[in-house]
Amino acid sequence: MFSDYIYKLSSAEYTDRIILIDVDHVAEITDYTDAFVAHGFEIITYKDDLQFRVDYENLWKSKTGKLAIITGLEKYIPYDIQALAKVFRFSKSDLFPRINPAILKNMGAVDYDLISEAYQNDYEMRKTVNESREFLETKVYEKSNVGAFLTDRVQKLIETAQNSVSYREWFAISQKKALLDVLAIEYGVQVDMSVINLLFRDYIMNQYGKLSSVLDRESPVLVCKVMEFMHEHSKRFVVVVMDGMSEFDWNILSSSFDGIHYEAAAAFAMIPTVTSVSRQCLLSNKYPSQLLSPWSQSKEKQEFIDCARAMGFSEKQISYQRGYDADFGSLIRCGAVIITDIDEMVHGQKQGRIGMFNDVGIMAKQKKLVDMTRRFLAAGFDVYITADHGNTTRRGMGKLMSTGVETETKSRCMLVLRDFADKDSIKGRYGMLEFPKTYLPKEYDYLICDVGDSFDVKGEDVMSHGGISIDECVVPFIKIKAVENNG
């Protein structure tokens, strides 16, 4: 893997303090720090001298542990910090000197894994553009090579999932799974990650209710903490809520963000993963049980405005808008933009995951999201891009006839029941799970379909959301700072 390749190149195995000067910000699109973590390093993302000295200076100068600083060429690191470490400065062309630099310009995370493996077994100089392209076509992206790569990586990801106990590990698994899913669709390779969804289901059923007490400096953890997180980290911000965007979708959309410096994190959607519940929680800083109207979106704008006002923003500093033409004046300090393209694609999708790959690919080429982001950054806003829930593929079990007592959630994956005496018969008939009420209104009972199932036409494969698969529950949380993108 690329992470092993860069670990070896850096000679980190011979030191316990290393500074990685990432000239091209490769860390933004790859997980190359994984190998460092596996070898016992704690990763420190360097932001500035003051923050480092407050948080890490004593630890850095001690003899304790193994530490790796990740930084860019533009960041100043004082001599006394550098003097205690091995410094490894690298660019894309430094990593692959036998390949033409122009070919490396727009590589994604999986490209690095594939290229690093092929590169280590190929010793020819391929400095011209044509020679480098031939190398990619005949060695790197040849279907059998991609298939072998996917088989190996899926198995390793399953092994990781079998030993995963923390939310951070599941965030990382979701992001890696998305990369592999995109590659599999792009090259027509079948992969089976159902085991990962079953393991994730068990994690959600047992641990999801405990996440409300978790504090994380990199992520809100739950989408109902997004507003609080942004308020703590930015004085002036816009949150762009991409309705229904999964990690799979962001992996495609992010290809259009070349030249924008961002940090990619993740968060858990609220369950059930339907818009009325999870998006309102995201915009209100509330749990589902606290919402004015959890099963409809009629109060969404009011929830957002009330939340912003409670955080100290005045009416003139708050704005809630929809669509890519959203524009905020100089007085605005807290803005929200709702984009529904992906959710509409999901509900109208006839070609499954390959259809989403093609449709979201067109979105990326249109650059509406990135152009809007650049506009907000230029106006001085920090921009946060996230989603209320993701989406996944399912097979219908048959449409459920109304019991007369369920609440309308617009989900074909969860039943919300009140005063229903015979819920056990539904659980048994459809293999449904009784979902814990931890964050939900207590006057109801909640039955949720097992992963991969839905109340759609029997035997029909559909794209949908509302359940507890990893693709629905873990959503991107992208942090883009104005100060880091405005020169």
Side-chain angles (χ1 to χ4, degrees), residues 2 31 63 66 92 114 138 143 223 266 311 317 340 346 353 377 403 420 422-423 441 456 458 464:
F2 177 63
D31 297 318
K63 302 292 184 181
K66 300 169 73 174
K92 293 177 183 178
L114 287 168
T138 61
K143 186 173 181 177
V223 297
M311 289 177 169
Q317 293 175 319
T340 60
V346 169
R353 186 53 70 73
L377 291 171
T403 64
F420 188 58
D422 201 20
K423 66 181 179 183
D456 286 285
K458 189 176 179 70
S464 67

Side-chain angles (χ1 to χ4, degrees), residues 395-463:
R395 178 155 293 183
M397 300 185 293
K399 294 194 174 182
L400 180 71
M401 299 300 292
S402 174
T403 64
V405 293
E406 70 269 16
T407 296
E408 178 55 61
T409 67
K410 296 185 179 179
S411 169
R412 293 177 181 173
C413 304
M414 177 177 268
L415 295 178
V416 180
L417 304 172
R418 188 168 190 170
D419 301 325
F420 188 58
D422 201 20
K423 66 181 179 183
D424 288 339
S425 66
I426 293 182
K427 286 168 61 178
R429 189 184 317 158
Y430 295 102
M432 300 187 79
L433 309 170
E434 186 160 3
F435 193 75
K437 303 179 183 182
T438 311
Y439 306 134
L440 296 163
K442 301 300 185 286
E443 63 268 29
Y444 301 102
D445 291 318
Y446 303 89
L447 301 184
I448 198 160
C449 291
D450 207 345
V451 291
D453 295 338
S454 69
F455 289 116
D456 286 285
V457 176
K458 189 176 179 70
E460 184 176 288
D461 292 327
V462 296
M463 296 294 304

Side-chain angles (χ1 to χ4, degrees), residues 239-255:
V239 57
V240 180
V241 184
M242 301 293 293
D243 190 356
M245 180 179 71
S246 66
E247 290 282 4
F248 175 93
D249 304 317
W250 171 251
N251 186 268
I252 300 167
L253 280 174
S254 62
S255 64

Side-chain angles (χ1 to χ4, degrees), residues 65-302:
K66 300 169 73 174
L67 303 173
I69 290 176
I70 311 295
T71 186
L73 189 61
E74 71 280 2
K75 299 290 178 65
Y76 169 71
I77 300 181
Y79 174 77
D80 66 308
I81 302 299
Q82 293 196 44
L84 297 174
K86 174 175 177 54
V87 178
F88 179 58
R89 178 189 181 279
F90 64 94
S91 64
K92 293 177 183 178
S93 56
D94 293 329
L95 296 174
F96 305 108
R98 298 194 302 275
I99 300 178
N100 187 282
I103 295 296
L104 304 173
K105 184 178 179 182
N106 295 314
M107 291 198 306
V110 173
D111 299 307
Y112 281 94
D113 278 332
L114 287 168
I115 289 175
S116 61
E117 291 199 2
Y119 186 84
Q120 294 175 82
N121 297 311
D122 184 272
Y123 303 99
E124 294 184 33
M125 293 295 293
R126 302 175 183 275
K127 296 296 287 185
T128 70
V129 170
N130 287 338
E131 289 171 340
S132 294
R133 282 178 179 160
E134 182 186 14
F135 170 66
L136 296 183
E137 292 169 2
T138 61
K139 298 289 182 71
V140 177
Y141 299 122
E142 194 272 325
K143 186 173 181 177
S144 63
N145 184 56
V146 173
F149 169 82
L150 283 169
T151 299
D152 177 69
R153 293 300 182 267
V154 169
Q155 183 56 43
K156 288 181 178 176
L157 196 59
I158 290 172
E159 291 170 3
T160 299
Q162 289 170 335
N163 296 298
S164 293
V165 295
S166 75
Y167 70 92
R168 287 184 179 178
E169 290 172 314
W170 281 109
F171 285 169
I173 289 168
S174 175
Q175 291 163 339
K176 291 175 183 177
K177 178 181 180 297
L179 290 171
L180 298 178
D181 282 336
V182 169
L183 191 66
I185 291 294
E186 186 175 4
Y187 286 89
V189 177
Q190 293 292 321
V191 294
D192 182 4
M193 297 203 226
S194 57
V195 172
I196 292 175
N197 265 319
L198 294 175
L199 293 167
F200 181 77
R201 173 200 65 191
D202 295 342
Y203 172 82
I204 287 292
M205 295 297 290
N206 294 303
Q207 301 298 323
Y208 181 72
K210 302 174 183 178
L211 295 173
S212 58
S213 62
V214 175
L215 297 177
D216 190 310
R217 69 174 65 189
E218 303 297 330
S219 162
V221 184
L222 294 167
V223 297
C224 65
K225 299 296 185 182
V226 163
M227 289 290 288
E228 181 180 327
F229 184 94
M230 295 185 300
H231 183 47
E232 290 176 353
H233 290 79
S234 300
K235 293 181 179 179
R236 192 167 185 241
F237 62 85
V238 172
V239 57
V240 180
V241 184
M242 301 293 293
D243 190 356
M245 180 179 71
S246 66
E247 290 282 4
F248 175 93
D249 304 317
W250 171 251
N251 186 268
I252 300 167
L253 280 174
S254 62
S255 64
S256 65
F257 276 66
D258 185 47
I260 290 183
H261 177 69
Y262 65 84
E263 294 181 22
F268 286 103
M270 304 313 293
I271 297 172
T273 51
V274 293
T275 301
S276 65
V277 173
S278 201
R279 195 165 82 198
Q280 285 195 102
C281 289
L282 190 160
L283 293 170
S284 67
N285 214 54
K286 290 181 178 179
Y287 295 103
S289 61
Q290 299 171 310
L291 293 172
L292 298 173
S293 180
W295 312 119
S296 80
Q297 294 167 242
S298 61
K299 305 293 186 182
E300 179 177 283
K301 184 175 180 180
Q302 180 185 336

